[in-house]
Every structure is written in C-alpha cells, then in structure tokens.
Amino acid sequence: MNEFILSLIKYTTIFTCMAYAFIKLLRIKPSVRDLLDLPAFFALSFILSFIAVFVKLLVPIGFLLLGSAFLFFRFRKPLYVTVTVSSIALGIAIVIFNLAMITVYPIASAFYFVENQNLNIILVQICVSFIQIACVILLFRIKRLRSGLDPEAQNASFDILLYLSIACIFTMMTLYAEDIKQYMLKVAILFISLCGLMLIIWWRRHINYTYRDRQDKKKLDELEESLNELKLKSTQKDLELTVFSKLFHYLNKAIPDCAVLVESAAAQTACTDACAAWDILSHVLQEMNLTNRKCCLQDVPQTGVREIDMPVLNLFIAAEQSRLKVSTDITKDAINRFFNTEIDKKDLHTILTYLCDNARIAALELPDPMVRLELTSHNSFPVIRIYDTGNRFDEKVLAKLGIEQITTREGGCGIGLFSVFGLLDKYKASFSLDEKPNVLGFSKLIEIAFDGLHSVNIRTSRISVARACSSRKNFNILVYDSLILRDGTNG
C-alpha cells in the first residue's frame, strides 16, 4: 500500500511536469483553468500505478500513451504535433525526475527524526515532487526556451530533443525491467516499445520531408508563376518598345518636314496661328535635338504634292551639306497614277522618306556617293525607283527582309525597311532589288511597284544571296552572269 501511494505521488508529478512542458513548448498560454487538470493527472496515475503492479516495464510507455492521449483531447492539437511534442515533454520530465532524485539525498537526512519509516519515504517523495515542479518552471524561464518549438520547422534542435527524449524513455524502460533474462515477455515488450518509439522518429522524418517537399513545390510554383508574369511583362514591354521605337523613328523624320512646311506657311502668310505653330515646332525640334533642315538651292524639283516634295527636298539638303550627288526623274503622269490608285499620301511620304534616307546613308559610306530617285509608271502601275552607290545588302539582311527588324548598316535599327514592307503588304505592292543595274554607275536599285502582285524579286550575281533566300517561298531569285549587264528597269 505504501508503494502504491508513492507511485501515485511520483506519477502525478511526472504527468504535471509533462503537461507544463508541453504547454510551454507549444507556446500555449497557461491559465488558472489548467489547475483543474490535476485530478485528471491523479486518475491517470492511479491507472498507471495499477498497471505497474502487474507489468512495471510498461510504466514509461504508459506515461507516453496516457499523457499523449490526455493532451490530444485537452488541447486539440494535430496528432503528429501532440505525439512528438509529448515525447519531448516526457523526456524533459524524466530528466528532471532523475535530477530531483539526486538532489534530494542531502535533504532526506533532515527527516531522520521521523520514526515512521513509511512516512519518512513519503515526505522524501513529496520533496522530490516539489523539486521537480520547481525545476520545470525554472527551466522554461530560460530565454532560449521561451520561444518554444515548431514541430513543422526545418530545425535541428527539434530533432535532437526528440531523439534524446526517445532515448530517455527507452532507458527508463530498461531500468524498470527486472530479471529480464528470465522473462522473454519483458524482452518482447521492450522490443515492441523500441519499435514504437522508433516509429515516432520515422514519423517525424516522414512528416518533415513531406512538409519540405510541399514547401519546395509551393516555392517552385510561385517561382514559375513569377517567371511567367515576368515573361508576360517583358513581352508587353518589348511590344510597347517596338511600337514606340517605330513611332519615334518616324517622328524624327516627319517633324523636321512639318517644321519646314509650317515655317514656309508662316513666312508667306504672316498668319498668327502659323507663326505660333512654328515657334512651338522650333522648341520641339530643340528638345528632340533635331535641326531645322533648310536648302538655299533654287532648282529643287517640286511637284506641288508636299508629301512627295519633302523627301526630295531632304535629299537635296543632304547634297548641299555633304559630297552627295542627287538626281531625280519625276513624271507628272506618275504623280497622277499614284493618286488614281488611291495610295494614301502619308504612306507614300513614309516609303519615300525611309528609302531615300537609307540610300543617302549607304551612299555616303563610300567615295563618290550618288542617289537617284525616279517616280514613274510601268504597265500603267506607279513605280518608285531609288538608286545608290552604297554597299550591297548582307545575305542575312536579305534573308530576313520583311519578317524581322534587321538593319542594313552599322548603328541602324532596321525599323525603316521593316515599316516599308508593312506598307507593301497593305497595298499588295511588289519589291525588287537589282544589285547591278549598271545605270550611271549605281551599285544597286530598289524598286517599289504598286501592281497588286505582292511579289519580291531579287536580281543578283551572288550565289550566297540565292542560298540565303532559298527558304523564302515568296522570293523570286534571278542569278545572272556578272558579264551580262542589265539596266535594272526592264524587270
């Protein structure tokens, strides 16, 4: 009977320490209500003391099973969290119990005056219980332990505490095993208990790896989503950049032309609105770092159609300011045919501006630069022909004509020729390139015919050009011997 009472005191204290450690490890705020759990601990101790009478070996594993079950229903935490943290809490309670047993020996001598031996042992056990409770309270006063534990965190501290607690529980079981060599049942119980405790460790590792895989997959999905979002934004920005680049490229050509026209209108009419518009345009030209192109030549060809006259004027301005030689051949019949076919004047201005500008830049890269512009008709269709003495196009440029913004010169952006091909698609016009027109010493000819055939013709003596353009199904390649001379105008 005396041993039963001692067991009740000892087991109740261990259950109390285990519950307190569980609460602190999971950062659950203690309350006065928790004191009502003491009768439950006493009841659990009674059950465990009754089991100890028959199989003392089951006491340590009984602490874990009964304590975990109570804490699970008491605090409603997930089963995995309850089992693992309960194991650590029980390990802490066992270690504190053993430390208290060692500490109490000097104190036990103070009870020598108690003649009743049974009462003496009970008083000593009560002292051990008080020491246990005091130690577990002081333990969680340590700053490092106040933050508790996160069972699902990738933290080595949790794993180490779990392994040590399992070792403490199993060690306590071996201490409770008496005459183990004589009883195979106790050996079997020890083995099964060890497997169960190891299962807790495996469960911890499995949950941990599952959690990590889930987190890794979540991070991967987030990264893929971020990457797709960045790709979408990048594509959108590239599209915006392409549109704005094309717009600014055209504005750099068109605004100086507008400035010339507005300045001329302001000088001729002295209109207040025209003068104000000229002042504003002058400021815009300054901000865009563009010059107001003027020409003092008196014999510049004029058609009366400003959209045609401005690109022609720009060629003569370039000739006046550099060593470029410019010539033109514009027939009145061609002008009438351009407008009879309902070609938009703005589109005609864009095509002439870009082609003339490219020809001028190409010609100025070599000695004796020359550019010639012809507006004529062929088979009753309006035709634009531009000759220059510049270098021939690279094979890579010809292979990508109309499908990519690829530049024909160093420092170029390829917007001009790409925009021209866009307008050719609009009017189903044909594009022809003759690399040896042999007209007045020019090195190449570009011809735009508004014939509705929408064809691309390249006449060349370079085999490399034919090979580079062989994959383009809509290209007509004519390779001729270098000794045969063509005028570049007869198709």
Side-chain angles (χ1 to χ4, degrees), residues 365-376:
E365 291 177 348
L366 296 177
D368 301 323
M370 293 189 297
V371 172
R372 179 174 176 79
L373 169 65
E374 292 182 0
L375 297 181
T376 183

Side-chain angles (χ1 to χ4, degrees), residues 104-119:
V104 83
Y105 280 115
I107 301 172
S109 59
F111 298 101
Y112 71 92
F113 59 87
V114 180
E115 296 181 359
N116 190 326
Q117 187 67 24
N118 292 334
L119 182 59

Side-chain angles (χ1 to χ4, degrees), residues 183-194:
Y183 299 96
M184 293 304 297
L185 178 60
K186 292 184 178 181
V187 175
I189 291 173
L190 273 175
F191 179 75
I192 294 170
S193 301
L194 177 62

Side-chain angles (χ1 to χ4, degrees), residues 73-93:
F73 290 108
R74 171 70 175 82
F75 295 103
R76 300 293 181 179
K77 295 293 182 181
L79 182 61
Y80 160 72
V81 173
T82 303
V83 173
T84 52
V85 178
S86 294
S87 300
I88 295 175
L90 179 57
I92 292 172

Side-chain angles (χ1 to χ4, degrees), residues 410-463:
E410 185 178 354
C413 59
I415 292 177
L417 201 54
F418 186 76
S419 299
V420 168
F421 267 83
L423 292 173
L424 297 186
D425 293 339
K426 177 180 178 180
Y427 294 103
K428 304 294 182 182
S430 296
F431 174 90
S432 298
L433 169 65
D434 195 335
E435 291 192 339
K436 200 169 184 180
N438 197 32
V439 175
L440 304 175
F442 291 99
S443 60
K444 65 177 180 288
L445 159 68
I446 289 179
E447 178 181 287
I448 306 295
F450 293 87
D451 53 9
L453 298 178
H454 201 208
S455 62
V456 178
N457 306 294
I458 297 179
R459 295 181 283 270
T460 179
S461 60
R462 293 185 290 167
I463 301 298

Side-chain angles (χ1 to χ4, degrees), residues 116-302:
N116 190 326
Q117 187 67 24
N118 292 334
L119 182 59
N120 192 330
I121 294 172
I122 292 173
L123 290 174
V124 171
Q125 184 58 56
I126 292 173
C127 287
V128 171
S129 298
F130 278 116
I131 293 172
Q132 281 181 259
I133 294 171
C135 286
V136 77
I137 293 173
L138 291 174
L139 179 65
F140 285 97
R141 294 286 182 181
I142 299 173
K143 188 176 181 180
R144 174 64 182 86
L145 294 176
R146 285 180 189 172
S147 57
L149 293 174
D150 185 2
E152 294 184 346
Q154 301 178 16
N155 193 340
S157 300
F158 189 92
D159 289 332
I160 292 170
L161 284 173
L162 182 61
Y163 298 154
L164 291 175
S165 299
I166 296 297
C168 289
I169 296 169
F170 187 73
T171 303
M172 188 178 183
M173 289 187 69
T174 58
L175 294 175
Y176 273 84
E178 298 174 352
D179 300 327
I180 194 169
K181 294 181 180 179
Q182 298 179 12
Y183 299 96
M184 293 304 297
L185 178 60
K186 292 184 178 181
V187 175
I189 291 173
L190 273 175
F191 179 75
I192 294 170
S193 301
L194 177 62
C195 291
L197 294 172
M198 293 301 294
L199 180 63
I200 295 174
I201 295 175
W202 174 83
W203 191 12
R204 157 68 181 172
R205 293 179 66 85
H206 173 72
I207 293 292
N208 212 358
Y209 286 137
T210 304
Y211 174 76
R212 290 180 185 179
D213 289 342
R214 189 166 61 249
Q215 290 297 105
D216 291 342
K217 187 180 179 185
K218 183 179 178 182
K219 288 180 181 177
L220 183 62
D221 292 341
E222 288 175 355
L223 287 173
E224 287 180 351
E225 187 177 348
S226 299
L227 183 61
N228 291 333
E229 189 176 348
L230 288 173
K231 284 182 179 178
L232 184 63
K233 288 182 179 179
S234 177
T235 303
Q236 184 178 358
K237 286 183 178 179
D238 289 343
L239 181 61
E240 291 175 355
L241 183 62
T242 302
V243 173
F244 290 143
S245 297
K246 184 178 179 180
L247 177 61
F248 290 145
H249 191 265
Y250 178 69
L251 287 176
N252 284 338
K253 311 289 183 185
I255 288 181
D257 290 350
C258 293
V260 172
L261 295 176
V262 172
E263 184 184 15
S264 175
Q268 292 175 11
T269 63
C271 174
T272 306
D273 292 342
C275 293
W278 163 239
D279 289 338
I280 293 172
L281 272 176
S282 299
H283 180 69
V284 171
L285 288 172
Q286 260 184 343
E287 291 294 323
M288 296 179 69
N289 199 23
L290 297 174
T291 57
N292 183 21
R293 299 174 296 205
K294 296 181 181 180
C295 181
C296 61
L297 299 174
Q298 300 299 319
D299 57 347
V300 177
Q302 296 289 302

Side-chain angles (χ1 to χ4, degrees), residues 285-356:
L285 288 172
Q286 260 184 343
E287 291 294 323
M288 296 179 69
N289 199 23
L290 297 174
T291 57
N292 183 21
R293 299 174 296 205
K294 296 181 181 180
C295 181
C296 61
L297 299 174
Q298 300 299 319
D299 57 347
V300 177
Q302 296 289 302
T303 65
V305 181
R306 291 305 185 188
E307 288 83 358
I308 295 176
D309 290 343
M310 291 313 302
V312 175
L313 179 63
N314 290 331
L315 276 178
F316 279 89
I317 291 172
E320 187 179 36
Q321 297 174 352
S322 64
R323 50 193 173 84
L324 180 68
K325 296 178 181 178
V326 176
S327 60
T328 59
D329 183 7
I330 302 174
T331 65
K332 187 175 182 181
D333 177 63
I335 300 300
N336 292 332
R337 290 188 183 278
F338 272 111
F339 299 119
N340 288 338
T341 52
E342 297 182 352
I343 299 173
D344 193 293
K345 292 181 180 180
K346 297 189 293 295
D347 294 337
L348 185 59
H349 174 264
T350 300
I351 293 172
L352 289 173
T353 298
Y354 284 145
L355 291 181
C356 291

